[in-house]
Amino acid sequence: MSSSDKKIEIILRSDELRGVLKALANGLKNSIAPDALRSFAVDIEHAQKLELVLRQHGGMAELKLKVKGLPTPTEAQADAEERFASGGESYKSIKKRMKTSFKFIGHSIANQMLPPAEIMTEFLADSKAMCEHPNRGGGDYARYAELMLEFRVAYEQGDMVALAAIYAEFNVSKKTCHTLHK
């Protein structure tokens, strides 16, 4: 666990569990959770990962909650400085969002389903922002930009075969780029 991660363990009666889980599901905006859990609300909002372990035994419940990936003050400052300098969103935040969207799209394609429109829209918009980012982009993303257009057309036509092929090319392109620039 890194220094920016938080962890809490709560023991409660099984009949209290529903209220706690409901509060978590509602983004911890309700005040029906134990006081210790309420202090996590702000952290959960900004976390990259949330781990929840629940064990019930003899009418009691143990709830363990880990909040991971909280931005450290230096990361948050660097991100804000980059966003300020570029006049828009930081490259890092675009890439983080794209990573999640890319996973969802891959899962959908693997299950022979069209990815949800909301995810595709976000992925394509983020791809465009990445390619045009003032601190990056340009020549680095020429092939990627071509693939992005082909991907959009295949999605709009509902062509699962083309989507799968282009997704595979995206994956190769991504790995090649990350190998060269990391």
Side-chain angles (χ1 to χ4, degrees), residues 31-118:
S31 60
I32 59 170
D35 288 338
L37 193 56
R38 268 191 243 131
S39 67
F40 267 61
V42 173
D43 297 325
I44 288 172
E45 183 179 336
H46 299 289
Q48 292 177 357
K49 187 174 182 181
L50 179 70
E51 291 180 10
L52 177 72
V53 176
L54 179 64
R55 291 188 183 99
Q56 289 188 331
H57 183 68
M60 297 297 289
E62 176 186 27
L63 180 105
K64 291 182 182 181
L65 180 64
K66 290 182 186 176
V67 180
K68 295 185 173 190
L70 297 172
T72 62
T74 54
E75 287 174 341
Q77 179 65 24
D79 197 42
E81 286 172 3
E82 183 178 344
R83 195 169 38 256
F84 178 76
S86 67
E89 193 167 15
S90 77
Y91 185 78
K92 185 177 179 181
S93 62
I94 293 168
K95 295 288 283 187
K96 282 183 180 181
R97 236 187 357 259
M98 286 181 68
K99 182 178 180 180
T100 302
S101 299
F102 196 72
K103 285 181 184 179
F104 281 121
I105 291 168
H107 180 74
S108 295
I109 291 171
N111 288 305
Q112 296 296 308
M113 297 173 12
L114 276 177
E118 177 182 310

Side-chain angles (χ1 to χ4, degrees), residues 134-170:
N135 297 336
R136 313 286 172 107
D140 293 342
Y141 293 116
R143 176 64 184 139
Y144 186 91
E146 291 172 15
L147 286 173
M148 185 178 62
L149 292 174
E150 293 172 22
F151 201 55
R152 174 178 278 140
V153 170
Y155 178 74
E156 289 170 354
Q157 294 174 352
D159 186 348
M160 290 300 299
V161 174
L163 272 177
I166 297 166
Y167 179 84
E169 281 190 67
F170 264 137

